[in-house]
Amino acid sequence: MTPTPTTPPSSQNNVWTQGQFAAASSFKDLCATPRAGSDASGTAFPDRSGILSDELFWLRSWSDETYLWYNEITDRNPNDFTTALSYFDELRTTATTASGNPKDRFHFTYDSADWLQLTTSGASAGYGAEFSLIQSTPPRDIRIAYVEANTPATNAGLVRGVKLITVDGVDVQTGSNTIALNAGLFPEAAGEVHTFVIERLDGTRETISLTSQIITEDPVNVVSTFDQNGRTYGYVHFTTFSPRTAEEALFDAFDQLQAANIDDIVLDLRYNGGGLLTIASQLSYMIAGPAQTNGLNFETLQFNDKAAGTNPVTGQPIAPTPFYTTGRGLTVPQSRQAPSVSKPRVFVLTTGRSCSASEAVINGLRGIDVEVIQIGNRTCGKPYGFYATDNCGTTYFTIQFRGVNSKNFGDYADGFAPGQAVGTIGGVMPGCRVSDDFTRALGDPTEALLSTAVAYAETGSCPAGTVPQEKFVGDAAQKTASDPELDLMNDPRLQAREIARTRRINP
């Protein structure tokens, strides 16, 4: 007897009917090119033999099940696409915010091996210098924002405010070879050597060579206290909510501030793109203290209308995130009580690169009536988050939830903007608009944002001359409909890296 032909399991569900979706689980880990062996952490790859169509149909069903705005996706036939990345790019809303920005500006992918390295070690290739693209289109202006200790950047004497003149012979201000500029600014691996002409703060120019290495970012770049006019101020420059490094660094920083018996706290988030919400909750508790957080929640996640009280990614009941008062076992044991300065107000320093979990801290504190005074510029506007999901060697990030505070507010897709507004909770904040100051070190009481915070603390109002143009220029993740094309950041790999910095992740 001749056996009856059967449809291969990898393609039995791969027939597109508009509006009808097979379960995403029926396509998961069916790969055109399965990986063999284990990843860097020793976990065996789940890949099974499949075809490209399986990967595309998984993306379609997974997006329909978990994407926050699934009903705003145009359902297109996966079989019309030749790559998973081109199809994934279609699986998002095209709606805009009130200001005209795309509602979903945070839809991206990462190579899974690279993402694992970034999230498990908190490390990536670089020089230990954070670059600020003050103006990314000609005439460009790129400065050093801050440096990490004991790195190639500090060994070369680089400090905040140093200006880049050339990168590997390409003129920064007007050069057309953006591939070379990007390659020099953002090395892909350790051991790359690039040459820079720099202009130091005194105006002298110098040629230096930097060799990239794997850099582990220090989450607390500066923690200090200073006295002015009879008040003691605590200052923290916090750069990342990394699950591998931030928890212990924050505990140690706030131990220091608590012991100093400060009068006011200044939290510098101007270059913090986000990270783990658990750490955002801990940080908020460290600011507000036990009395003001008692019995209240830091944030509640809202998923799409299919969720019905269940997290569509984890399958667990949706429960509010409390204000965490102890270590969470990331790098601090759960038995260790979190320190707290217990302040009814906080000054937060921001730019367009203050994003995601940084904004969640602002929103969470406002939800329990801590007075948040914003100094600097509009934040990036990302009340949304995702669960990084690997399939066949690519990690996908699609918006799956929004966060709301204890007052049920989370509508700040256009960011928080300082503007001395009072009244109902919203995207406009009490505070002062101030341009980033590259002439002073971070933590220097005379630096523009920090000195403005101190002036506000003393007088209750903004000093004269602190309302410049609001728009933050030069950040790919903050690109708006009115921005020029960011020609220095038009490399998709670099855009993904920059957007990845705005992550808001649940464990």
Side-chain angles (χ1 to χ4, degrees), residues 319-403:
T321 299
F323 285 90
Y324 289 121
T325 64
T326 66
R328 298 298 294 164
L330 299 168
T331 52
V332 174
Q334 295 184 10
S335 59
R336 181 177 171 184
Q337 175 64 40
S340 175
V341 294
S342 299
K343 296 303 174 188
R345 73 175 180 182
V346 58
F347 293 87
V348 181
L349 312 185
T350 65
T351 68
R353 292 173 66 177
S354 308
C355 210
S356 197
S358 288
E359 294 170 301
V361 169
I362 293 172
N363 199 47
L365 289 173
R366 295 185 79 200
I368 59 169
D369 294 323
V370 169
E371 184 183 13
V372 181
I373 301 167
Q374 184 182 3
I375 307 294
N377 231 316
R378 182 183 295 273
T379 61
C380 86
K382 188 173 182 289
Y384 313 117
F386 32 59
Y387 290 80
T389 304
D390 165 76
N391 194 56
C392 302
T394 298
T395 295
Y396 295 93
F397 300 81
T398 197
I399 297 299
Q400 292 158 322
F401 59 85
R402 69 165 56 85

Side-chain angles (χ1 to χ4, degrees), residues 417-432:
Q420 292 185 278
V422 295
T424 58
I425 191 167
V428 180
M429 299 274 293
C432 316

Side-chain angles (χ1 to χ4, degrees), residues 103-438:
K103 185 162 66 172
D104 186 352
R105 295 178 286 125
F106 307 98
H107 194 76
F108 72 104
T109 65
Y110 230 85
D111 176 83
S112 291
D114 291 345
W115 182 252
L116 179 65
Q117 177 187 347
L118 184 64
T119 54
T120 57
S121 67
S124 59
Y127 313 110
E130 180 72 13
F131 298 111
S132 183
L133 282 67
I134 298 172
Q135 175 65 39
S136 64
T137 55
R140 303 184 189 92
D141 186 356
I142 302 176
R143 310 287 179 101
I144 303 295
Y146 63 90
V147 295
E148 303 281 354
N150 303 314
T151 61
T154 50
N155 294 338
L158 297 182
V159 296
R160 175 173 170 81
V162 166
K163 185 176 182 179
L164 302 188
I165 305 302
T166 70
V167 178
D168 290 332
V170 178
D171 184 77
V172 168
Q173 189 175 61
T174 61
S176 60
N177 189 349
T178 56
I179 293 176
L181 291 173
N182 281 324
L185 289 170
F186 309 106
E188 288 191 321
E192 295 183 23
V193 180
H194 296 277
T195 302
F196 302 82
V197 174
I198 61 171
E199 183 176 287
R200 297 195 181 274
L201 296 182
D202 62 3
T204 60
R205 293 191 176 186
E206 180 181 346
T207 299
I208 63 170
S209 290
L210 295 176
T211 302
S212 62
Q213 64 183 46
I214 299 301
I215 303 293
T216 299
E217 187 174 10
D218 186 354
V220 177
N221 188 262
V222 180
V223 56
S224 62
T225 60
F226 61 92
D227 294 327
Q228 187 162 315
N229 295 332
R231 296 183 67 80
T232 299
Y233 295 88
Y235 170 85
V236 180
H237 176 220
F238 185 51
T239 65
T240 177
F241 293 79
S242 166
R244 302 302 173 192
T245 56
E247 186 179 33
E248 185 174 16
L250 279 176
F251 271 62
D252 292 345
F254 275 81
D255 275 337
Q256 179 178 330
L257 297 180
Q258 181 176 273
N261 194 28
I262 62 174
D263 295 299
D264 269 302
I265 173 77
V266 181
L267 178 64
D268 194 340
L269 299 176
R270 73 182 82 185
Y271 307 121
N272 193 319
L276 199 66
L277 289 173
T278 294
I279 295 172
S281 170
Q282 290 174 313
L283 172 58
S284 300
Y285 170 80
M286 293 179 194
I287 293 168
Q292 196 138 347
T293 58
N294 185 41
L296 298 173
N297 294 315
F298 169 67
E299 183 173 84
T300 301
L301 303 186
Q302 295 180 339
F303 296 85
N304 65 36
D305 59 14
K306 295 182 179 183
T310 300
N311 184 317
V313 180
T314 67
Q316 299 299 311
I318 298 172
T321 299
F323 285 90
Y324 289 121
T325 64
T326 66
R328 298 298 294 164
L330 299 168
T331 52
V332 174
Q334 295 184 10
S335 59
R336 181 177 171 184
Q337 175 64 40
S340 175
V341 294
S342 299
K343 296 303 174 188
R345 73 175 180 182
V346 58
F347 293 87
V348 181
L349 312 185
T350 65
T351 68
R353 292 173 66 177
S354 308
C355 210
S356 197
S358 288
E359 294 170 301
V361 169
I362 293 172
N363 199 47
L365 289 173
R366 295 185 79 200
I368 59 169
D369 294 323
V370 169
E371 184 183 13
V372 181
I373 301 167
Q374 184 182 3
I375 307 294
N377 231 316
R378 182 183 295 273
T379 61
C380 86
K382 188 173 182 289
Y384 313 117
F386 32 59
Y387 290 80
T389 304
D390 165 76
N391 194 56
C392 302
T394 298
T395 295
Y396 295 93
F397 300 81
T398 197
I399 297 299
Q400 292 158 322
F401 59 85
R402 69 165 56 85
V404 298
N405 63 19
S406 279
K407 295 181 183 291
N408 203 39
F409 177 79
D411 186 16
Y412 51 90
D414 284 316
F416 289 109
Q420 292 185 278
V422 295
T424 58
I425 191 167
V428 180
M429 299 274 293
C432 316
R433 296 179 188 170
V434 187
S435 292
D436 207 357
D437 176 9
F438 292 94

Side-chain angles (χ1 to χ4, degrees), residues 2-13:
T2 302
T4 301
T6 59
T7 302
S10 66
S11 60
Q12 61 186 350
N13 294 321

